[in-house]
Amino acid sequence: MASDCEPALNQAEGRNPTLERYLGALREAKNDSEQFAALLLVTKAVKAGDIDAKTRRRIFDAVGFTFPNRLLTSKEAPDGCPDHVLRALGVALLACFCSDPELATHPQVLNKIPILSTFLTARGDPDDAARRSMIDDTYQCLTAVAGTPRGPRHLIAGGTVSALCQAYLGHGYGFDQALALLVGLLAAAETQCWKEAEPDLLAVLRGLSEDFQKAEDASKFELCQLLPLFLPPTTVPPECLRDLQAGLARILGSKLSSWQRNPALKLAARLAHACGSDWIPAGNSGSKFLALLVNLACVEVRLALEETGTEVKEDVVTACYALMELGIQECTRCEQSLLKEPQKVQLVSIMKEAIGAVIHYLLQVGPEKQKEPFVFASVRILGAWLAEETSSLRKEVCQLLPFLVRYAKTLYEEAEEANDLSQQVANLAISPTTPGPAWPGDALRLLLPGWCHLTVEDGPREILIKEGAPSLLCKYFLQQWELTSPGHDTSVLPDSVEIGLQTCCHIFLNLVVTAPGLIKRDACFTSLMNTLMTSLPALVQQQGRLLLAANVATLGLLMARLLSTSPALQGTPASRGFFAAAILFLSQSHVARATPGSEQAVLALSPDYEGIWADLQELWFLGMQAFTGCVPLLPWLAPAALRSRWPQELLQLLGSVSPNSVKPEMVAAYQGVLVELARANRLCREAMRLQAGEETASHYRMAALEQCLSEP
């Protein structure tokens, strides 16, 4: 409302006699001129913020929406009156009405949003008091609508975000109010704002980033708090990244108090989460800046967590965790790392101390705090560290393992709460809509890589087994597997689900090798074996999932060797389907490939296997070895392999390529399978002889196979 209005109510009298007189005149007005004059008097007698709800309602009952609507859309003003006066009067009335939350959601207010938005960018005399008053009233209306539950959505749909961006960039009267309202809308409906007005919001981001880079006064600290809200859910423009990094380098390179440093750390964490290290320039300056970031983050974590009884600024420490994750990624990157080797060694030592503080904190966490977002964030950073480093802090990690198993089990059993916790962690310091690696919604997925390393070591493995981790992992694997089964749209699943399944397989492989007795006695592994058997036949047929199929096939083959006496493996349809699929995986890895200028082909990887062989080959060789071990334990397997024609086709393949193109380890793997099949079944031996098996064995110096085939 206009600033020269007088108080609305005299508290002693209960009602304002002047206002009552003007309202009476308004009710008795016989034409537009009389209504217009009475409305001017009413607006001078009251201020929207100084009247109570009842008085505001009485004004609304006297005025209604019809006449304000006409004022807002009128293009002809009375003689001698500027053309914007009628609109200003209409906006002033709406501002009065919008002070009532119920009226702020009235359709007659909401349908004015597009008109009100245009007033923010309308041209006019910047010193005109009436125009300034209209702009203030417009912001009052829009702010009132934004404060209602569905208000932000109505404003976004009405084009308010673009209008606010243009009003801010124009730096005209009220541009600071435009920025404040933009901040509120982004906080309430970030995704919708960017969807409706991305070009305009990017323009604001460019302006804010440039101001941030140039700022030499306290405004740079205020901008640190604003800028995270303006980072887009898509790619951040390179020029903005340059300005933001330069501004942060100048701030963090100075001696600061915590209130100055903390917003800068949170902004850096947002950038790290959104862009990884791409926003940091290469070269000496970039490596020094990254080292400084990680160093500051580690110091902040230690200060917060090592002191017992001090209040932890959870949002700041969570931001520091994100920066530590960036440090872990860069320290473990072999190629194109921003850090030099001495810097990596130094940062690993510093991060080790900070992780020690995290472990110290988690050891103090009681059951009543396990569902707090900050505990989840602390487990996340520990999981990121253990994924890369388990040799240091081994004693402390072993001491914490029982808590980690119980914690993961608690959140697994309450999966919805775990997802909500992940969202809350993101909201502590990192926007959930910012691009970048997803924050998994379950603690177990965070811990899988570390547990994979720890199950190789005797001490940690015994603790994990004692605390029931294998059973938990089996349940988790089966639950996650359901997400990839037929009937579910696997195209919308995050990559982390499949990666989690693969990591579970690696843990189970470790247990098969190091704790075979556990596999035999724990019933959960029987359930796991059944799932592997029923799932592999469909999995090997799916494009793009060969690595997961390799994990499932190899794990199943190794477990089958230990569970060979199980009724489920005695030639049942499920077991036959599994081994047929396993043979398909093992047999299709290599083909004969012609080479220019040579009469004989060479053994080469199949196209599907070639691109991922570095990740696949260990599983393939282990699978071949496991299949070989299953043949003498399962009498029905050799005839089944013969019906699949694998031994015949394998000999045919070896006979069609140059022996020099077959590496010794391949020869050994192929011979192992062929020898066991030949020993187990007379028909297999005969089929191999018919396929020139003895001659092929001689060419490849497969002495064991040659001897086996020479026998009756």
Side-chain angles (χ1 to χ4, degrees), residues 179 182-183 186 194 201 204-205 208 226-232:
L179 185 62
L182 266 179
V183 167
L186 285 167
W194 281 100
L201 285 168
V204 173
L205 174 62
L208 291 173
L226 286 178
L227 278 162
L229 286 167
F230 286 89
L231 294 179

Side-chain angles (χ1 to χ4, degrees), residues 414-616:
E414 301 174 21
E416 288 188 9
E417 284 195 40
N419 285 321
D420 185 55
L421 268 181
S422 180
Q423 183 75 13
Q424 292 177 53
V425 170
N427 289 338
L428 276 176
I430 300 171
S431 168
T433 58
T434 302
W439 289 60
D442 59 273
L444 194 49
R445 193 181 303 167
L446 304 173
L447 296 168
L448 289 177
W451 287 7
C452 187
H453 298 315
L454 291 170
T455 48
V456 177
E457 304 175 25
D458 293 341
R461 182 177 62 252
E462 289 175 6
I463 296 172
L464 288 169
I465 292 173
K466 180 182 177 182
E467 295 297 328
S471 176
L472 174 61
L473 288 168
C474 283
K475 292 176 183 176
Y476 178 78
F477 181 90
L478 297 177
Q479 183 257 347
Q480 292 289 295
W481 190 264
E482 281 298 310
L483 299 177
T484 69
S485 61
H488 290 80
D489 185 2
T490 57
S491 65
V492 301
L493 285 177
D495 293 340
S496 55
V497 171
E498 189 149 318
I499 293 172
L501 288 169
Q502 292 177 23
T503 310
C504 280
C505 287
H506 294 167
I507 295 174
F508 294 141
L509 286 170
N510 290 341
L511 293 175
V512 166
V513 174
T514 61
L518 174 71
I519 308 299
K520 293 179 179 179
R521 68 174 180 266
D522 198 319
C524 70
F525 288 101
T526 301
S527 299
L528 176 62
M529 186 70 215
N530 290 335
T531 297
L532 298 179
M533 287 195 299
T534 56
S535 302
L536 186 63
L539 185 61
V540 293
Q541 303 291 342
Q542 295 175 22
Q543 288 292 324
R545 307 189 75 191
L546 181 57
L547 193 54
L548 180 59
N551 277 277
V552 170
T554 304
L555 175 61
L557 289 169
L558 283 168
M559 288 181 62
R561 197 166 58 177
L562 296 176
L563 302 174
S564 59
T565 58
S566 167
L569 285 164
Q570 306 311 310
T572 61
S575 62
R576 289 180 180 275
F578 169 79
F579 276 94
I583 288 173
L584 195 64
F585 158 66
L586 295 171
S587 66
Q588 292 187 340
S589 61
H590 291 77
V591 294
R593 184 175 297 167
T595 56
S598 175
E599 295 182 0
Q600 207 165 12
V602 297
L603 189 70
L605 286 167
S606 302
D608 289 343
Y609 289 66
E610 196 167 12
I612 57 173
W613 186 246
D615 299 317
L616 199 64

Side-chain angles (χ1 to χ4, degrees), residues 51-126:
I51 59 176
D52 58 23
K54 289 184 178 179
T55 305
R56 191 181 304 115
R57 269 289 175 176
R58 291 178 58 249
I59 296 172
F60 172 70
D61 291 339
V63 176
F65 278 116
T66 303
F67 199 62
N69 289 348
R70 292 173 59 193
L71 292 172
L72 289 171
T73 57
S74 176
K75 297 181 180 179
E76 295 182 5
D79 292 340
C81 184
D83 59 1
H84 63 271
V85 167
L86 296 182
R87 292 194 296 273
L89 178 57
V91 176
L93 288 168
L94 281 184
C96 175
F97 300 159
C98 286
S99 299
D100 182 337
E102 188 175 332
L103 290 178
T105 60
H106 195 285
Q108 288 286 353
V109 171
L110 299 179
N111 65 22
K112 302 299 180 300
I113 289 173
I115 298 174
L116 293 171
S117 297
T118 63
F119 295 164
L120 300 179
T121 55
R123 295 181 179 180
D125 182 359

